[in-house]
Amino acid sequence: MNFPSALQTFDMSLLTQFRSDNEFPDGLRARLRSFAILDDVGDAALRRLLSEADWFSLPGGKELLRYGENDRAVFLVVTGCLGVFVENDRGVRRLVAHVPAGETVGEMSLLSGEPHSAALVALRDTELLRVGPQAFEALLTRHPRVMLNLLKTTVQRLRQTTHGADQKMKPKTFAVIPLQNGLQDHALTRRIAEALVSMGAKAAVLDSATHDETTEWFNRFEIDHDIVFYQGDEPDSAWTNFCLRQADRVLLLARADREVPLHVFERNYFKRDLGATPELLLVHPHGQAHAMPEHIEFRRDLYGTHHHIRDGNTADIQRLARFVAGRAVNIVLAGGGARGFAHIGVLRALKEAHVPFDYVAGTSMGGIIAAGLAMEWDIDELIARMKHAFVETNPLDDYTLPLISILRGAKVSRLLREQFRDMRIEDLVKPYFCVSADLTTGRDFVHRSGPVWRALRASVALPGILPPVVEGGHLLVDGGVMNNLPVDVMAEEARGPIVAVDVSGEIDFRARDPRYGERSIWSLIAQRMQGSPSIVSILMRAGTVGSSAQRRVVREQADFLFEPPLRGIGMRDWKSCDHAIAQGYAHALLEIEKRGVPLSDTWTSGPALSVGHEIAAS
């Protein structure tokens, strides 16, 4: 890259020499006029400011150290962008704000005299002007207009904080880094950009042909676009390293049929400490997804998540584009036994409204149906499989001596293995997780890898009914015990609206005899025959009713919440499958008519009826 000849990095002696020469390019002087705090400030003030300022660059990923000359200084971001990071109680950094080109940082600490409360990190190669405390105070004294501008800027920032405190910072630049040689011309990046353009975004791809452009050129290019992809050429070239420094998020590109070198994952350029864990894009060249490469499998210490991209599959490209745009639709399904069949009715209505299912998750019965979506079963196949597993046979009839549980659980395991065979969660085409409850730690256990059937077996293991699943010595039981609707888990990594379906609400679950449970065994048998709850029904209900408080919390995190009434359908009414599906479908149609559904194929946000259409492959 051709940085200005006077621009230096970290060499303070050269910076001081440059300041005395006072030879700033005209472009820098013109750029200062775009700063909000310098609005309507005359040329004389700008010249004085430049005469007392240091101009330097901070490579992407580097922290701006706040000691020495930087301790009480004010920084003007000329090009690039700074990220403001704060630490939570566990010492984990979280990005809370961007400081883009044309804005300042550090002035509030200077005026208040309080110590710095946040870390400043360059999110891409960034040019800064440092103005010392004396020079800045002199500027405020000579030009009161600067103080007025500063107050206006502060008010705007407070408004943004008040209205957008819970909104995640949206990435703008993506580095697509090949992990294997020969992928620099792969069409995947441009196809994603084309899909984004068809959604209404201004998206573009920059490759090594632009490596001679200036920092100002790249800065202007990013301003003019919504999304910019920096396409790396080789795994460790100078251009690839520049792409990494520019990226808000890193996408690692690899072919699934070739070995992925592990050493590239050990490098520090992935900005893990900035919360920008890389994502793996696995391209399957024969158009059909295969298993993850055995030598990397699923390792969250190497990358945050992964996406399977089948060659020639337009749906995979569209889904990845929605993730990039922050418009991916995240589906979360609650547990509820036979009432969970209503999920299928809601899903049918959403599908008819052209809502894609990009990221799916659930607990217990909801986890089973969500796994079917991740397997890409269509609605008819999903119904047929659920009927075969739960209606045509009774999965809860292999009773045993109740030392651990009432049922052996072998039948449930067999039925789950029949449906999902040896498929592993990390090999599913669509991102997926399910939740069980860890009785050993008293916390949620989120299943993101391993055999699908075994994760589901843990997620449906209602205490007392089915034996727990043992994982590393931990006892895992039905996720409904602690988190029957895991919207909160999804919200931590969702890239778009969350659609939740809760089927565990009001149930006609009561006993009319005030001395129920105190009668003789023959009276209890008679009451059971008249519809009073049995031990199995009591245990099943106990597995979900304990999460009522948690349900109230998560419903606030869901963007769209469906709660089919399901009158007359109990948690063991497997024969009511068609009725539950119909009630879920009717409820969803009414809700969609009233509230709409998530926009997914447009760049804009907001609840409205989505218009589905195919993006032409190129």
Side-chain angles (χ1 to χ4, degrees):
M1 289 182 56
N2 293 331
F3 290 103
S5 58
L7 185 61
Q8 306 293 335
T9 305
F10 302 122
D11 192 335
M12 294 303 157
S13 63
L14 289 174
L15 287 172
T16 303
Q17 177 63 42
F18 175 66
R19 182 177 59 193
S20 63
D21 290 343
N22 196 23
E23 294 178 354
F24 291 96
D26 293 337
L28 180 58
R29 294 190 183 92
R31 185 133 186 93
L32 286 183
R33 296 186 179 91
S34 67
F35 281 76
I37 68 165
L38 300 177
D39 186 37
D40 288 338
V41 175
D43 289 340
L46 296 181
R47 287 194 298 269
R48 180 179 292 275
L49 180 66
L50 282 174
S51 69
E52 298 176 336
D54 296 324
W55 183 28
F56 65 100
S57 76
L58 192 63
K62 295 295 183 181
E63 182 172 347
L64 180 61
L65 302 179
R66 309 292 290 278
Y67 59 81
E69 292 182 323
N70 291 348
D71 181 33
R72 301 288 302 282
V74 176
F75 298 90
L76 286 71
V77 182
V78 180
T79 63
C81 185
L82 293 178
V84 181
F85 289 82
V86 297
E87 288 190 359
N88 60 19
D89 297 338
R90 294 170 292 178
V92 178
R93 278 186 173 183
R94 182 171 64 93
L95 178 64
V96 296
H98 288 98
V99 186
E103 293 193 11
T104 58
V105 66
E107 67 276 8
M108 298 310 297
S109 294
L110 175 60
L111 295 175
S112 66
E114 297 179 354
H116 309 296
S117 59
L120 300 176
V121 181
L123 299 182
R124 52 188 51 78
D125 286 354
T126 300
E127 296 179 23
L128 299 163
L129 276 176
R130 180 180 56 233
V131 182
Q134 293 181 348
F136 190 73
E137 290 173 0
L139 179 67
L140 294 177
T141 301
R142 297 190 188 99
H143 304 280
R145 177 73 187 185
V146 176
M147 177 59 77
L148 178 60
N149 294 339
L150 183 58
L151 290 174
K152 289 181 179 179
T153 301
T154 302
V155 170
Q156 291 175 354
R157 290 176 180 173
L158 288 174
R159 285 176 178 171
Q160 292 173 356
T161 301
T162 301
H163 296 293
D166 296 330
Q167 296 182 359
K168 296 180 180 179
M169 299 293 107
K170 196 171 183 179
K172 183 183 183 71
T173 57
F174 293 76
V176 182
I177 306 302
L179 297 183
Q180 302 147 335
N181 292 323
L183 294 180
Q184 65 270 24
D185 296 323
H186 199 280
L188 177 61
T189 308
R190 296 193 181 279
R191 293 193 64 196
I192 299 171
E194 290 165 2
L196 288 167
V197 169
S198 71
M199 294 167 62
K202 293 181 179 179
V205 180
L206 295 177
D207 56 27
S208 58
T210 61
H211 74 281
D212 285 331
E213 298 293 347
T214 64
T215 305
E216 174 63 27
W217 187 90
F218 286 107
N219 185 74
R220 176 53 55 187
F221 193 89
E222 291 181 14
I223 291 174
D224 291 340
H225 291 82
D226 299 313
I227 295 288
V228 176
F229 293 97
Y230 285 87
Q231 176 72 60
D233 49 9
E234 297 296 337
D236 197 25
S237 68
W239 168 253
T240 292
N241 279 277
F242 169 72
C243 294
L244 288 163
R245 297 199 307 271
Q246 297 301 105
D248 293 329
R249 189 160 289 159
V250 176
L251 306 177
L252 307 175
L253 178 63
R255 285 173 55 110
D257 60 344
R258 288 169 50 184
E259 185 174 355
V260 179
L262 276 176
H263 72 273
V264 299
F265 291 105
E266 300 171 357
R267 299 184 54 181
N268 295 322
Y269 56 43
F270 294 137
K271 304 181 182 178
R272 289 188 180 92
D273 56 336
L274 307 185
T277 309
E279 300 177 26
L280 181 63
L281 306 183
L282 268 178
V283 178
H284 301 270
H286 303 298
Q288 185 172 356
H290 302 284
M292 295 278 287
E294 292 182 1
H295 59 291
I296 60 172
E297 295 180 344
F298 182 77
R299 292 182 53 182
R300 295 185 69 83
D301 60 324
L302 298 181
Y303 45 87
T305 187
H306 64 280
H307 304 270
H308 294 286
I309 309 297
R310 294 162 294 187
D311 197 21
N313 190 305
T314 303
D316 290 349
I317 299 294
Q318 292 173 314
R319 182 172 61 254
L320 185 53
R322 288 191 290 270
F323 273 100
V324 169
R327 303 301 306 141
V329 178
N330 309 274
I331 307 291
V332 183
L333 307 179
R339 292 165 65 91
F341 289 132
H343 290 312
I344 301 176
V346 175
L347 295 172
R348 183 190 290 279
L350 290 172
K351 192 173 184 63
E352 290 176 356
H354 306 290
V355 176
F357 309 139
D358 295 316
Y359 195 166
V360 292
T363 295
S364 196
M365 191 64 174
I368 294 175
I369 294 175
L373 296 180
M375 294 280 288
E376 296 190 305
W377 298 340
D378 61 27
I379 298 298
D380 291 337
E381 182 177 4
L382 188 58
I383 293 174
R385 288 178 177 271
M386 293 301 101
K387 283 186 174 181
H388 172 72
F390 296 100
V391 180
E392 297 172 6
T393 181
N394 184 359
L396 303 179
D397 64 359
D398 56 342
Y399 293 96
T400 186
L401 186 65
L403 298 177
I404 299 176
S405 59
I406 295 174
L407 306 176
R408 292 176 56 229
K411 190 170 184 180
V412 173
S413 296
R414 177 177 59 79
L415 290 170
L416 290 173
R417 292 203 72 161
E418 282 182 1
Q419 299 302 320
F420 298 99
R421 301 190 180 276
D422 295 325
M423 178 63 70
R424 298 179 65 85
I425 293 176
E426 58 267 41
D427 296 333
L428 292 169
V429 172
K430 295 183 178 182
Y432 167 83
F433 70 82
C434 66
V435 173
S436 62
D438 188 342
L439 294 184
T440 305
T441 63
R443 300 176 180 174
D444 296 347
F445 189 99
V446 183
H447 298 265
R448 303 182 188 276
S449 62
V452 174
W453 77 267
R454 185 168 175 80
L456 292 173
R457 173 63 180 78
S459 189
V460 302
L462 278 162
I465 296 180
L466 292 169
V469 170
V470 179
E471 188 79 31
H474 290 232
L475 295 178
L476 307 182
V477 298
D478 194 298
V481 172
M482 294 180 183
N483 195 347
N484 199 47
L485 186 63
V487 174
D488 53 338
V489 180
M490 179 67 83
E492 293 179 358
E493 53 191 67
R495 307 274 185 81
I498 298 175
V499 178
V501 187
D502 191 356
V503 296
S504 60
E506 296 296 327
I507 300 177
D508 185 13
F509 192 80
R510 68 190 69 195
R512 293 171 177 81
D513 184 352
R515 294 186 61 198
Y516 172 76
E518 301 174 12
R519 302 290 188 182
S520 68
I521 185 171
W522 302 113
S523 296
L524 290 176
I525 291 174
Q527 287 184 358
R528 172 70 191 100
M529 294 177 64
Q530 295 172 8
S532 294
S534 68
I535 183 174
V536 175
S537 297
I538 292 171
L539 289 173
M540 289 187 71
R541 181 56 174 159
T544 58
V545 73
S547 60
S548 295
Q550 193 264 354
R551 284 173 56 215
R552 287 194 294 270
V553 174
V554 300
R555 70 179 57 233
E556 297 177 0
Q557 296 178 287
D559 299 287
F560 295 83
L561 179 63
F562 294 91
E563 295 181 285
L566 303 178
R567 298 179 184 86
I569 301 177
M571 298 180 70
R572 297 176 60 197
D573 292 339
W574 306 109
K575 300 298 183 182
S576 298
C577 175
D578 291 333
H579 184 41
I581 292 174
Q583 286 204 29
Y585 180 71
H587 169 77
L589 288 180
L590 290 175
E591 290 296 308
I592 289 171
E593 184 178 356
K594 287 190 299 183
R595 302 181 54 216
V597 292
L599 290 170
S600 58
D601 57 356
T602 64
W603 179 251
T604 57
S605 302
L609 283 177
S610 173
V611 180
H613 64 269
E614 292 290 324
I615 299 175
S618 59

